[in-house]
Amino acid sequence: MMTEPTPVPGDVLSALRRHQRVLIAAHAHPDADAMGSCLAMAWALRSTGVDALVFNEDGLPDFLNFLTLPGPVLTDPDSLPCDPDLVVCLDCGDRARLGENLQPLLDRVPTVNIDHHLANPLFGTEANWVDTTMSSTGEMVSLIARALRAPLHGALAEALYVAVSSDTGNFSYGNTTAGALRLAADMVEEGLNIARLREALENNWSESRLRLWGLVMQQARILEDGRLAAALITRETMQACGAGREDTEGIVEQLRKLAGVRVALVLREEEKNGQVQTRASLRSSGSDNVRDVAAQFGGGGHRNAAGATLPLDAEKALTVMQPYIRFVWNRVR
């Protein structure tokens, strides 16, 4: 039985229609859903005559440089010609994830918060739309685009497809909704070339990424009687391979493919303010809830995909996280 698309809250649409200068931002270190959603929102608003700009303190990821942009992705709020009337925050579990550089602007400009993550604190000052039943923020932006009567083709459709397909594992994860599938079908009918987009998304590896993956897979640890697969990526490993943060994307999903593994964990070291910290990415399937693990360390996400940052090196991070991971399969159901 078909259901009608979830209506966009009236206060969200009212805010988007009422303001003429809109800055669109997503979390730092943007993934495909965050950046694709921002670009799609900008294209949708521009189709209505709104001056929409995109901001991310880390800029456009290299792996998405094939997308057509509505303008340069700004990385410094000081480069804005003037303050916007509104900041639209996309795919952010909390305001801090937008990055330090944007915080002063958020203190003085109204915000709309659009997200699909659990435990979002509803930080928008003008409107909030948080729907955890949505596959992705991209799916939510597609509903806004429809409400604004923006045609779902061309650059707008390509940005939406990248956002939704990436967050659903190419429409294969448990968060894939009927709405996401219908959106893809509608855009294909409007001329979207999925084969070209998949080629651009997947067949773009650098040699440094290939070397990194080979080394990480060779050194992966199989723990907890085969239920946990963990990869520790140190700064030295990254430097030896000449790899960057983007080169680690997808490793955790690959570890999850091993038979018997219930939780996959990637621990990547990085340096911030002269201190070592570790970014943890967790994946699971079915009822195995890794979001609860991430939450113990100030992180979050979804039941089967979550992350956190720990002020430890990778080895110590594994030591402190492993007992919490055991609860994933030991809890009483």
Side-chain angles (χ1 to χ4, degrees):
M1 177 179 178
M2 290 187 62
T3 58
E4 290 298 316
T6 302
V8 182
D11 57 350
V12 172
L13 285 178
S14 176
L16 295 176
R17 288 169 171 154
R18 188 168 62 251
H19 297 289
Q20 183 59 35
R21 296 191 305 272
V22 176
L23 185 67
I24 304 163
H27 60 76
H29 304 307
D31 57 11
D33 186 28
M35 185 54 66
S37 295
C38 285
L39 299 179
M41 178 69 82
W43 282 118
L45 290 176
R46 287 195 171 199
S47 74
T48 69
V50 171
D51 296 327
L53 298 174
V54 175
F55 171 89
N56 194 283
E57 69 172 26
D58 291 302
L60 180 75
D62 289 342
F63 72 94
L64 294 179
N65 60 14
F66 63 90
L67 289 173
T68 302
L69 306 182
V73 177
L74 305 177
T75 58
D76 185 353
D78 292 339
S79 64
L80 290 167
C82 62
D83 278 0
D85 304 323
L86 180 73
V87 178
V88 177
C89 309
L90 299 178
D91 203 43
C92 273
D94 59 66
R95 183 179 129 160
R97 293 201 67 204
L98 290 159
E100 296 177 4
N101 295 340
L102 201 62
Q103 299 304 314
L105 183 66
L106 300 177
D107 287 335
R108 62 179 185 265
V109 176
T111 55
V112 170
N113 166 34
I114 300 170
D115 185 32
H116 69 128
H117 292 95
L118 289 165
N120 185 296
L122 305 179
F123 60 86
T125 59
E126 189 148 331
N128 291 278
W129 182 24
V130 177
D131 189 341
T132 61
T133 68
M134 289 287 176
S135 67
S136 55
T137 301
E139 184 180 355
M140 300 172 78
V141 172
S142 76
L143 296 175
I144 292 173
R146 291 184 193 274
L148 296 175
R149 301 189 184 281
L152 299 187
H153 60 66
L156 170 55
E158 291 183 356
L160 284 177
Y161 177 82
V162 164
V164 178
S165 67
S166 296
D167 237 34
T168 59
N170 199 20
F171 305 95
S172 66
Y173 293 164
N175 65 324
T176 304
T177 63
L181 294 168
R182 279 194 293 268
L183 170 64
D186 290 345
M187 293 191 298
V188 168
E189 287 183 345
E190 290 292 324
L192 181 69
N193 187 337
I194 287 180
R196 184 182 67 81
L197 289 176
R198 296 313 305 177
E199 174 81 13
L201 275 171
E202 295 179 359
N203 298 346
N204 60 3
W205 282 34
S206 62
E207 182 179 350
S208 60
R209 183 173 187 177
L210 181 70
R211 302 297 180 194
L212 177 68
W213 277 55
L215 188 58
V216 168
M217 293 303 170
Q218 185 180 30
Q219 297 175 350
R221 304 183 189 183
I222 311 303
L223 307 168
E224 301 291 340
D225 297 322
R227 291 174 294 186
L228 171 63
L232 281 61
I233 307 176
T234 65
R235 292 172 299 162
E236 291 76 17
T237 297
M238 297 283 286
Q239 292 167 2
C241 295
R245 178 187 56 83
E246 292 177 4
D247 294 319
T248 66
E249 294 294 328
I251 291 177
V252 68
E253 285 85 2
Q254 198 71 20
L255 290 175
R256 178 61 193 86
K257 293 181 179 180
L258 184 63
V261 167
R262 294 179 61 171
V263 173
L265 172 66
V266 168
L267 298 165
R268 176 180 57 82
E269 292 181 351
E270 59 186 19
E271 185 175 325
K272 184 176 183 180
N273 300 326
Q275 300 294 320
V276 177
Q277 63 180 23
T278 295
R279 298 275 297 177
S281 296
L282 299 114
R283 295 294 185 272
S284 66
S285 299
S287 62
D288 289 336
N289 190 341
V290 291
R291 180 189 171 276
D292 287 352
V293 178
Q296 300 298 321
F297 303 96
H302 305 283
R303 180 180 62 193
N304 300 131
T309 300
L310 289 77
L312 303 167
D313 62 36
E315 195 70 53
K316 291 178 181 176
L318 176 62
T319 299
V320 300
M321 292 188 75
Q322 198 168 342
Y324 291 95
I325 292 172
R326 293 189 190 107
F327 282 105
V328 170
W329 51 75
N330 287 339
R331 70 176 59 196
V332 177
R333 303 204 180 276

